[in-house]
Amino acid sequence: CIRDSDYAEARRVEGPGPWQQVLHQAPARSLDLFASSVPSTPAPSMPDSIGTTVFEESLGAYSTMLLLERLSDYLLAEGVAPAWRGDQYRLFTTGTGDHLVWVCRWANPDAANKAADIIRNTLSPAPPDPAFGTESRHTHIMISGATTRYFNCADKATLEKLTS
């Protein structure tokens, strides 16, 4: 993750306004931690809803950075996170279990591919792990231009509906 000392030093040296103002005024959006001149973009569109939505939200730029860092390392995550331009995820349930869809827009296709590589190499489950039970998950990641779509479903049929 971005170390607090790195963030504070960057804001002290490069941040807008006097240092005291930076200490008392948090960024308006987490993308400002990386590139304050990037304009806001609307959330990417989600696939049609299947089942009952339990929760729908955006991770935001900073949480996406933390996720990518957790899945890889600081340098890989730091290289991709500033290219975040918007995301939306939905957790929903059907009679077969819980499912997750995460759609993320990046600044360019190269960033989308790098993010997809991190996700593909870490979030796609291996064979069932006895420590977490024997239930298998069905995952897939799609890249379309500068957008990634990650699917993690309880059953193959739901995954196929979402990705067809």
Side-chain angles (χ1 to χ4, degrees):
C1 88
I2 295 176
R3 293 184 321 212
D4 291 339
S5 60
D6 291 344
Y7 170 71
E9 180 63 13
R11 296 300 287 190
R12 184 185 70 77
V13 173
E14 301 169 17
W19 177 236
Q20 290 297 319
Q21 180 184 354
V22 171
L23 290 175
H24 295 288
Q25 185 176 4
R29 58 198 180 129
S30 60
L31 186 58
D32 291 341
L33 295 171
F34 307 112
S36 59
S37 63
V38 176
S40 293
T41 57
S45 62
M46 295 289 289
D48 289 339
S49 192
I50 297 175
T52 303
T53 297
V54 175
F55 195 73
E56 191 165 328
E57 183 62 83
S58 169
L59 282 180
Y62 188 65
S63 293
T64 298
M65 159 97 177
L66 295 176
L67 173 65
L68 294 177
E69 180 183 327
R70 172 93 174 159
L71 299 175
S72 60
D73 66 42
Y74 175 74
L75 294 176
L76 286 174
E78 185 181 59
V80 175
W84 176 95
R85 293 299 178 266
D87 78 289
Q88 192 76 14
Y89 70 87
R90 177 184 299 139
L91 176 65
F92 64 98
T93 187
T94 64
T96 60
D98 295 331
H99 315 276
L100 175 74
V101 176
W102 181 42
V103 181
C104 193
R105 184 179 307 112
W106 303 92
N108 53 58
D110 184 54
N113 281 302
K114 288 178 182 176
D117 285 344
I118 292 171
I119 295 164
R120 185 180 296 113
N121 292 332
T122 55
L123 286 184
S124 297
D129 182 340
F132 297 102
T134 58
E135 182 176 277
S136 64
R137 301 292 299 174
H138 301 270
T139 64
H140 185 68
I141 189 157
M142 298 170 63
I143 307 165
S144 177
T147 301
T148 55
R149 288 176 176 79
Y150 174 72
F151 306 89
N152 185 321
C153 299
D155 63 277
K156 190 173 182 175
T158 301
L159 177 63
E160 289 173 353
K161 279 183 191 177
L162 291 168
T163 57
S164 62

